[in-house]
Amino acid sequence: MKKNIMMMALAMSIAVSVNAQTIYDAANIANKDLNGTARFVGMGGAMGALGGDITTMGTNPAGIGIYRSNDAAVSFGFSSYGTESNYMGNKMSSDKTRADFNNAGFVFSTKVGNVTPLRYVNFGFNYQRVKSFYNNMQMEGNLGDFSQTIYMANQASDAGGIKDWPDNPYRDNNIGWLSAMGYNGYLITDLISQGDLDNLLASNPNYSNYVPYMKDGVQVQNVDEELMYRTPGEYVGMYTGADAKFHSEERGGIDQFDFNVAFNFNDRIYFGLTVGAYALDYSKYCIYDENYGGGEGYNLQTWSKINGAGFDVKLGTIVRPFEYSPLRIGFSIHTPIFYSLDYKTNARLESDVWNDLNMKNEVGTPSNEIGHYDEDTYDILSGDMVSKFQLRTPWTYNLSLGYTVGNNLALGAEYEYKDYSSIQFRDDAGYADSFDYENSTTDMLKGVSTIRLGAEYKVIPQFALRAGYNYQSSIFKDDAFKDLPLNSIQTDTDFANSESLSNYTLGIGYRGSMFYADLAYKYTTYDAKFYPFDTFDGTTLAQATKVTNTRSQVLLTLGVRF
């Protein structure tokens, strides 16, 4: 088959361990949704200084110190997810709906006394779904001068220049899975024709890394009767100008379990401590297809899962600067979440291409037929490949203000900051050295600011109206890309650089003598620039797929205070 010439890269040193994680995995895990009780969501989550809601133990633990009675509540939701993509005028959309169990918790309030400085000691527990990974993505269109096979070829060329392929490259710590699948599927090759070699020598007369391709003592020719040569350790990919299709499905979420103790001093100073436990379940399926016409093309399917658990500690305080002041000032700090995780993956490649069997020697003639090739790592390895790792998310800093006007109006505002570039990968033993390459890429992440605003107005003592707004700045720098190690077992090369995110919320609530019910609506929207791959050196496609993600969610909370 005819291949396009690409620049021959210098060999690079090989990473010492086989890893699979990227900054996109880390950012996806570290980022949380706005979720919790319907009252909390209806006020945009801006309750860190106001307190008095079960969900606040996950943002400002001191908020539980406001309680003077016991509380128990459960929350249910219904979500509609939407994704619209546009690649060079090719528009696609995906819409899905699903029910959610969002929140369940309780607070036990213990009164200490009226004259002692310590007035209340409160204990709380809360479960909430802090992250939903639910997402579908599609794109299609012509790639122009780009191909994922160039990525495969560069991975093989840069990984020390692979000259000998073992029988099972998927267990070789020095070989990336993409390059192995591309080589075994005849999508990349170290063969070059006499004509292409002449072009290469014309631009680089000193190039000497080529040898005649010999069989039975005779130099092989291709179907055009051109002599063939090998370029040991240097590979080229398939045609450019392919029509590409991409489809992915992501599922799962993160469950957070908070255990809280909070103290009330003189009804002016509140202090709280929360220990959080996390259970993570993430899965992704994607299929990527390139069609070259004339019956040639391939598709690559990837299945991957991340499972595990983590923990963190949250400290918070709320202060009334003046006695009986309607103003409250809150501050909280969250340690990183210390995750211990398993990454599991397998992949399948199906290709229909010409290969070196379509060449001839002195006794053979070309078959002029396209061969079909299957490569399935699940069959080869008798199951998934598993990579264990640890992840440390950023520290979280939160400053909040709360203000009440009489008994009718409550206003809340918060500012939260996380430096995502401080994310760190570690091996299963807790050492970061094995992930030097991955940790060197976190500078493509940014410090993220989140602003939350919320208001609650009681029309009458039993009924309240609520509204809120969230703004979260983008996590990724404009030039961020998915930078896989040369020996990565990851074969899904797609990534999306999300931009700023906005949440708009509305709510209504009823308070009886014991029973209460709250209803909230949340609309989430953010744009992203999607790429099915980069060219292995950080050069992305000339045209990004423009993506708009939305989520509409209705939340219902039922509770009792006693």
Side-chain angles (χ1 to χ4, degrees):
M1 59 182 174
K2 292 186 176 179
K3 310 265 201 290
N4 288 295
I5 298 296
M6 71 173 191
M7 295 300 294
M8 301 296 186
L10 295 177
M12 298 174 62
S13 61
I14 300 173
V16 297
S17 63
V18 175
N19 300 319
Q21 292 68 49
T22 70
I23 58 171
Y24 292 89
D25 302 313
N28 198 24
I29 292 171
N31 192 28
K32 296 181 179 180
D33 299 332
L34 171 62
N35 213 346
T37 66
R39 183 184 180 217
F40 181 86
V41 173
M43 293 188 66
M47 298 189 67
L50 293 171
D53 186 274
I54 289 174
T55 311
T56 59
M57 71 177 74
T59 54
N60 186 348
I64 301 304
I66 302 293
Y67 274 93
R68 298 187 179 188
S69 62
N70 303 322
D71 188 8
V74 294
S75 302
F76 308 91
F78 184 82
S79 296
S80 175
Y81 299 82
T83 302
E84 295 183 357
S85 63
N86 185 341
Y87 176 67
M88 301 181 68
N90 294 319
K91 298 181 180 180
M92 307 184 76
S93 63
S94 175
D95 299 288
K96 297 290 182 180
T97 58
R98 67 191 306 267
D100 309 296
F101 179 69
N102 298 85
N103 168 258
F106 59 83
V107 173
F108 289 144
S109 181
T110 304
K111 186 174 182 178
V112 177
N114 292 323
V115 295
T116 59
L118 180 60
R119 302 291 172 84
Y120 285 86
V121 178
N122 299 334
F123 300 91
F125 166 79
N126 187 49
Y127 157 79
Q128 68 182 88
R129 188 78 157 179
V130 294
K131 179 71 174 184
S132 172
F133 295 120
Y134 200 92
N135 185 55
N136 293 341
M137 172 64 199
Q138 300 179 82
M139 64 81 64
E140 65 178 45
N142 189 276
L143 297 179
D145 294 332
F146 298 90
S147 168
Q148 190 190 53
T149 62
I150 298 176
Y151 191 108
M152 298 173 181
N154 285 350
Q155 188 180 63
S157 299
D158 290 0
I162 299 173
K163 298 178 177 63
D164 296 308
W165 294 87
D167 292 337
N168 189 347
Y170 304 105
R171 292 198 181 278
D172 191 311
N173 289 350
N174 297 322
I175 295 178
W177 276 24
L178 273 169
S179 61
M181 300 198 85
Y183 184 80
N184 288 340
Y186 293 94
L187 300 177
I188 67 172
T189 185
D190 59 356
L191 297 177
I192 189 170
S193 68
Q194 180 68 62
D196 287 343
L197 179 60
D198 291 342
N199 292 333
L200 178 62
L201 292 173
S203 60
N204 185 4
N206 296 321
Y207 182 75
S208 60
N209 189 27
Y210 64 93
V211 294
Y213 177 31
M214 309 293 290
K215 281 188 177 181
D216 301 326
V218 178
Q219 188 170 0
V220 176
Q221 296 178 334
N222 66 10
V223 293
D224 295 324
E225 299 185 349
E226 295 178 302
L227 295 175
M228 299 299 296
Y229 296 82
R230 285 199 180 277
T231 55
E234 296 176 333
Y235 295 84
V236 292
M238 290 289 293
Y239 308 100
T240 58
D243 291 324
K245 291 183 180 180
F246 176 86
H247 173 81
S248 69
E249 298 176 1
E250 297 174 87
R251 299 293 184 266
I254 301 176
D255 295 323
Q256 178 175 317
F257 305 85
D258 284 330
F259 303 85
N260 173 271
V261 59
F263 306 90
N264 175 343
F265 296 94
N266 294 319
D267 292 325
R268 287 189 58 186
I269 299 175
Y270 308 87
F271 176 79
L273 166 69
T274 296
V275 177
Y278 297 81
L280 186 149
D281 176 25
Y282 170 79
S283 65
K284 177 182 178 182
Y285 165 76
C286 64
I287 178 169
Y288 175 76
D289 181 283
E290 285 190 14
N291 187 339
Y292 306 107
E296 286 193 276
Y298 75 94
N299 70 76
L300 174 62
Q301 301 178 71
T302 299
W303 293 264
S304 57
K305 297 180 181 179
I306 301 177
N307 301 96
F311 71 92
D312 71 351
V313 177
K314 311 174 187 72
L315 295 171
T317 186
I318 298 174
V319 177
R320 295 180 189 266
F322 308 103
E323 190 173 6
Y324 308 117
S325 169
L327 174 67
R328 300 173 189 171
I329 301 173
F331 175 76
S332 65
I333 183 171
H334 306 179
T335 68
I337 303 174
F338 299 89
Y339 278 112
S340 180
L341 303 169
D342 289 347
Y343 175 85
K344 303 176 182 179
T345 189
N346 68 82
R348 178 178 176 82
L349 176 74
E350 298 177 355
S351 60
D352 294 281
V353 294
W354 284 14
N355 60 43
D356 61 354
L357 297 178
N358 299 112
M359 300 174 186
K360 64 181 182 180
N361 55 27
E362 76 284 359
V363 296
T365 57
S367 64
N368 290 314
E369 292 181 357
I370 293 175
H372 178 80
Y373 308 95
D374 291 333
E375 186 80 356
D376 194 323
T377 67
Y378 193 89
D379 291 341
I380 295 171
L381 302 178
S382 299
D384 293 325
M385 173 67 86
V386 180
S387 173
K388 296 181 179 293
F389 70 103
Q390 295 181 10
L391 176 68
R392 296 187 179 183
T393 68
W395 286 80
T396 302
Y397 306 93
N398 183 291
L399 177 65
S400 55
L401 298 174
Y403 193 85
T404 56
V405 180
N407 294 321
N408 298 97
L409 181 64
L411 302 172
E414 288 187 20
Y415 173 77
E416 188 172 276
Y417 180 79
K418 294 182 181 181
D419 182 7
Y420 277 74
S421 67
S422 66
I423 283 173
Q424 190 176 67
F425 297 99
R426 298 193 173 209
D427 63 26
D428 196 39
Y431 297 103
D433 293 349
S434 299
F435 285 88
D436 282 345
Y437 187 88
E438 290 83 355
N439 290 326
S440 71
T441 66
T442 60
D443 60 359
M444 291 189 283
L445 302 175
K446 300 193 298 185
V448 174
S449 296
T450 301
I451 297 172
R452 304 185 182 107
L453 303 172
E456 177 184 71
Y457 177 72
K458 292 183 178 179
V459 181
I460 59 175
Q462 292 80 17
F463 287 95
L465 301 175
R466 306 180 183 107
Y469 173 71
N470 279 189
Y471 171 84
Q472 178 182 288
S473 61
S474 61
I475 298 174
F476 302 95
K477 293 182 179 179
D478 292 340
D479 58 352
F481 65 98
K482 194 169 188 176
D483 193 3
L484 294 178
L486 298 175
N487 62 343
S488 177
I489 65 174
Q490 194 167 107
T491 56
D492 52 327
T493 57
D494 60 289
F495 62 97
N497 290 337
S498 57
E499 300 176 355
S500 59
L501 177 148
S502 292
N503 286 304
Y504 304 88
T505 66
L506 294 171
I508 186 172
Y510 165 79
R511 289 290 184 274
S513 57
M514 288 183 58
F515 171 79
Y516 65 89
D518 296 304
L519 189 68
Y521 171 75
K522 179 185 72 175
Y523 178 76
T524 304
T525 181
Y526 68 95
D527 294 335
K529 294 179 179 178
F530 173 87
Y531 301 91
F533 56 86
D534 77 277
T535 57
F536 205 78
D537 60 2
T539 304
T540 54
L541 301 184
Q543 179 69 52
T545 301
K546 298 178 181 179
V547 182
T548 298
N549 297 281
T550 60
R551 179 184 181 185
S552 293
Q553 184 181 27
V554 177
L555 280 164
L556 173 65
T557 298
L558 303 175
V560 291
R561 289 198 174 187
F562 53 97

